[in-house]
Structure formats: C-alpha cells, structure tokens
Amino acid sequence: MSLATDLLAGNRRSLARAISQVEDGGPEARVLLAALYGRTGRAHVVGVTGAPGTGKSTLVNALAKAYRAEGQTIGIIAVDPTSPFSGGALLGDRVRMRDLAGDAGIFIRSMATRGSLGGLARATADVILVLDAAGFDRILVETVGVGQAEVDIASAAHTTIVVEAPGMGDEVQAIKAGVLEIADLFAVNKADREGADHTAMALQMMQGLAPAPTGHHGPRSASGHPEPGAQSDGSWLPPIVKTVATRGEGAERLRDWIETHRAHLQATDQLVRRETARAAAALDHVLRDALLAAFLTRLPDGVLSQTTEAIARREIDPYTAAAQLLAIST
Ligand SMILES: Nc1nc2c(ncn2[C@@H]2O[C@H](COP(=O)(O)OP(=O)(O)O)[C@@H](O)[C@H]2O)c(=O)[nH]1
Ligand SMILES: [Mg+2]
C-alpha cells in the first residue's frame, strides 16, 4: 500500500511519516501531496497568534479539549520560527503533549525553522493539507506573532485568533504588529490577572477607531458598541473573549465563536474568497521555490558564491548582480 492510501485509511504511523516527508519537501512529498489534495478542503483551519508568553499553547490545549468534548477531532501544529531545533517537540509543547497524550482524536506536531521563514510557511501549509486529508475536523495552528512570516502562516487559516494578555507592557501590541487586521477573534487570556478588563477595553476602543462597517445598522450593546460577530451588512466584527487558559475557562465560548465565524464564512462569499487567497498563496510559494531551484541548477558552478562575495565586498549591488545572473542562465 502506498503512504497516501495508508494515510487515507486512518493509519496513525503513516501520518507521522507523511508529515515528515512533506516537511522535508522534495519529489516524494510532491507525489504524496498530489495524491492527497483531492481529499482535502474539509477541515476548518484556525490560526492562533500573539506575543510569546500570552498563553497561546495553553489556550490551544484548552480549545482542543473543548472540541474533544463535542467529539470533534483536532490536529495541532505549533510553529516556532525562533526555535533553532528542527523537528521533534518544542520544550513547552512536550508538557502539552503529555497532557493530551493517549487521545487518538488529537494529533500534535511542532515545527521549527529549517532554513528560510518562507520555507516554514510552505511546510506549514503542506502539513495542514496532510492533517486535512487524514480527516481531522479542526486544525489549530499556533504561531508566534512577530512578523511577516506569521502573517503568511495566518493566511493559511480560515479563522485567526489573536491572543493578548494583560501586563505585557503595551496594550496596542496588536496594532504595532499589524495583527489587528488579521484578527477574526480576540482572546484576552490570563483574565485571572489584574488588567484583563483594561486590555479588553483597549481592544474594543481600537475597534471603535477602525472605520465602521459601511451601512452598519446592527444592534448595539449597553456600552454603545455594536454587538460582535456577523453584522447586517455581511461584515464581521471580531468578538473579544476573556479566557483563563490554565483553567480552561472561556474555551467553550471561544470554540463556539470559531464555529459561528465558520458559519458566517460559509453563509457569505468569504469562504470562497479565503480559499482563493489560500490557493494564490500556495501557488506563489510553490512557484517561487520551483523557479529558484530551476534557476540555480542552470547557473554554472561557483558563480553564485563568487557573486555573493562580490556583493559583500561592495564591488556590485544585489540588483545588478541578480540581473546579470538572470542574463547568464537564460
Ligand atoms: N495566570 C495565568 N497564566 C497563564 C494562563 N495561560 C497561560 N498561562 C501561563 O503563561 C505561561 C506561558 O504560557 P504558554 O501557553 O507557553 O504561552 P505561549 O508562549 O503564548 O505559547 C505559562 O507559564 C502558562 O502556564 C492564564 O490564563 N492565566
Ligand atoms: Mg507556545
């Protein structure tokens, strides 16, 4: 039996092997992904992002348990571009794995940078495909919210949760990191700590500062803010959910909001739009890799390193050098 057939039949050992294969990339991975692709598109992908220490791992853990209580199967991918370790488990995630171990309805995979961040985004998207094909209902992807790579990874998600916590120094981190725009849901975690209300209010105020959805006539809460969730004009106002991840508090509410958002995406044309955006990003990654690989094989031996050294010595600028290399190889 081929690895793909094995995986689609629900064999767990083949799942781990398939994931390692797509992480490594290469021709075998391409054959596997081609065989699996037709069986994907069923899972709902949830991105969970935020600054280190806000409690993302703990929250993903609690969320997975809340989903398991309803019988849904969960794939978890923890992406940490800051970790120098490749493969295997990240330190904090080993604790989590022990906690969730023994439940066949949960599969956890940690991923760290191997080479470029772009490579990590590509590998993450492919691991999502494998878990999707293996039949997991929901896939939770934890990423550290620090930069463009995370925004790229978030573009692979249907629903993006931005996690904030009180006492992280600056309530407007979300805006600075540019993640406010990508949030479908906010979790104010560590709500057992002082300042959680303040953080939630700061987020709500930032939402108020954002341009109001056009033609908004939706209901308003007692505080004068519009009710979160689906608006009458088809737009979505991200709900702010307070959580205490260590005790699992708020996890059901967060799960229910994810499901509400999923229903909203399905009811509007936004699911199709997001799927198209995901397809564009996937094609873009694959094309870049393929073009670069094809280009490098056509380049005479040693030319790349000589050019790199010349750029470092300031003998030539990177733009002119790239144009010259392109001219040689075509
Ligand atoms: N007081 C409190 N601590 C929490 C909560 N959630 C997570 N933590 C703690 O915060 C620390 C960082 O959590 P972790 O999930 O590893 O954060 P991550 O870096 O965002 O993945 C750990 O010591 C957690 O036990 C919470 O709701 N309340
Ligand atoms: Mg973590």
Side-chain angles (χ1 to χ4, degrees), residues 236-260:
W236 175 264
L237 180 67
I240 301 165
V241 180
K242 278 187 249 174
T243 57
V244 183
T246 39
R247 300 202 292 253
E249 286 172 29
E252 282 95 0
R253 239 166 74 83
L254 200 59
R255 175 201 62 201
D256 292 347
W257 269 121
I258 293 168
E259 295 306 305
T260 304

Side-chain angles (χ1 to χ4, degrees), residues 307-318:
T307 307
T308 308
E309 284 156 21
I311 295 169
R313 287 194 300 265
R314 296 291 187 281
E315 289 167 13
I316 190 168
D317 69 279

Side-chain angles (χ1 to χ4, degrees), residues 48 53-66 96 99-100 142 163-166 187-193 241-252 254:
V48 179
T54 47
K56 295 178 297 299
S57 296
T58 316
L59 192 60
V60 163
N61 203 348
L63 204 49
K65 283 184 182 165
R96 164 163 71 187
D99 191 25
L100 299 176
E142 174 192 342
V163 184
E164 297 282 332
V188 175
N189 190 41
K190 305 195 183 183
D192 54 328
R193 292 216 180 141
V241 180
K242 278 187 249 174
T243 57
V244 183
T246 39
R247 300 202 292 253
E249 286 172 29
E252 282 95 0
L254 200 59

Side-chain angles (χ1 to χ4, degrees), residues 44-48 128 139 141 150-161 182 184 261 265 271 274-275 277-278:
H44 190 76
V45 182
V46 180
V48 179
I128 290 172
I139 300 170
V141 185
E150 288 65 43
V151 175
D152 285 349
I153 291 168
S155 73
H158 297 110
T159 301
T160 298
I161 304 175
I182 63 167
D184 300 304
H261 183 245
L265 291 179
L271 193 62
R274 282 187 194 214
E275 283 300 335
R278 280 166 45 127

Side-chain angles (χ1 to χ4, degrees), residues 51-53 55-58 78-80 90 92-93 96 142-144:
K56 295 178 297 299
S57 296
T58 316
V79 185
D80 191 350
L90 308 173
D93 297 310
R96 164 163 71 187
E142 174 192 342
T143 60
V144 184

